[in-house]
Amino acid sequence: MAFSRVMLGFLGLFFTAGALLLMFLTLLGGARNSIPLNEIYFLQVNTGNIPGAPAVSRWTYWNLCAVNDKGKSECGSSYPDYPFDPPSHRTFDTTTNIPAAFIGSKHYFLTSRFSFPFLIIALFFGVVSLLTGFLAMCTRIGSYISSLMAWIALVFQILATCLITFNENGQKATLGAKSFGFMWTAVACLFLSCILYCLGGSVGRKESGYSGREHRRRGFFSSNRSNSVQSNKEANP
């Protein structure tokens, strides 16, 4: 029984740690021009027909990056929660050859802005779940707390992933395979963690027989009663 709880807690920890690693890689993609961070992005678009824009652009949580001849991102200054808003002064500062869906609309600006804090929240509860996961290997309450934290992280991770799923809007565009692969794999890992922690909490919940306290209490009175009856029989044969 204890071995089963330890194994379930360990597996929950393993998948939680895997999810956090993938989430951190996605969050930091584009923050530096080094491998593997310069290979992680959400959207790549041919922007050569936009005045002042690079031939190919990539969006990350931190900036808009050009693409060099080796296919790697070359990013400039980093800004947390960089919005997906092509016509604004933050990006191209023009409406020429910008898809109509972006002009006069804040839809993509808001969805990209909300994705970043949702991912931060998911990371926070994921880290809490990881820390309490050590208790999940030996206690039932630890398993349930870890499961709850993992569920909350899972909800915000799904929201963050859905909010950065862009459409190409008439221009040749490709989604970042690594970024979305990491995000959805993290969703799967967190889901497995929730299930494993719950199973760990349910192990040994239903036990048959009396508790130790009840057994000692019954044994004490039963023993006294037996001795008293035996004494009466010897005194009054």
Side-chain angles (χ1 to χ4, degrees):
M1 182 186 303
F3 180 74
S4 297
R5 180 173 293 149
V6 169
M7 287 302 298
L8 290 169
F10 175 78
L11 288 173
L13 274 173
F14 175 80
F15 284 110
T16 302
L20 289 173
L21 174 62
L22 296 174
M23 292 159 69
F24 274 114
L25 284 174
T26 307
L27 176 68
L28 297 176
R32 296 188 63 182
N33 294 320
S34 59
I35 296 175
L37 299 183
N38 62 349
E39 299 176 346
I40 300 173
Y41 56 91
F42 296 119
L43 185 69
Q44 177 177 293
V45 184
N46 290 346
T47 54
N49 61 342
I50 299 176
V56 181
S57 301
R58 289 174 176 171
W59 273 266
T60 71
Y61 273 131
W62 301 92
N63 41 37
L64 173 72
C65 305
V67 182
N68 60 26
D69 55 358
K70 296 181 181 180
K72 307 297 183 182
S73 299
E74 292 186 348
C75 305
S77 301
S78 296
Y79 305 94
D81 202 7
Y82 187 84
F84 183 58
D85 191 19
S88 74
H89 66 280
R90 301 178 185 87
T91 311
F92 302 130
D93 196 19
T94 182
T95 58
T96 303
N97 294 325
I98 299 293
F102 295 104
I103 300 174
S105 173
K106 293 294 184 181
H107 172 74
Y108 293 98
F109 173 85
L110 293 174
T111 55
S112 60
R113 272 294 175 100
F114 274 103
S115 178
F116 185 85
F118 283 170
L119 180 57
I120 296 296
I121 295 172
L123 280 168
F124 171 78
F125 284 102
V127 171
V128 175
S129 178
L130 182 70
L131 295 177
T132 57
F134 291 98
L135 295 176
M137 292 191 290
C138 53
T139 64
R140 181 177 296 119
I141 186 64
S143 296
Y144 287 136
I145 292 175
S146 297
S147 179
L148 175 62
M149 297 298 102
W151 276 114
I152 297 174
L154 174 62
V155 170
F156 282 100
Q157 175 67 8
I158 291 174
L159 290 173
T161 305
C162 292
L163 289 174
I164 58 171
T165 304
F166 307 118
N167 295 319
E168 58 183 74
N169 291 294
Q171 287 182 281
K172 185 177 179 180
T174 55
L175 296 177
K178 290 184 179 180
S179 180
F180 283 94
F182 290 167
M183 292 289 274
W184 284 113
T185 302
V187 168
C189 288
L190 286 173
F191 178 76
L192 290 174
S193 299
C194 295
I195 300 301
L196 290 167
Y197 285 137
C198 281
L199 290 175
S202 64
V203 169
R205 186 173 183 178
K206 294 182 179 180
E207 298 179 358
S208 58
Y210 297 108
S211 66
R213 183 178 179 183
E214 291 175 341
H215 180 74
R216 289 194 299 270
R217 184 180 297 171
R218 287 174 180 271
F220 174 78
F221 286 111
S222 176
S223 177
N224 284 350
R225 184 177 179 182
S226 298
N227 293 334
S228 177
V229 171
Q230 183 66 26
S231 299
N232 290 334
K233 287 183 178 180
E234 291 177 353
N236 300 297

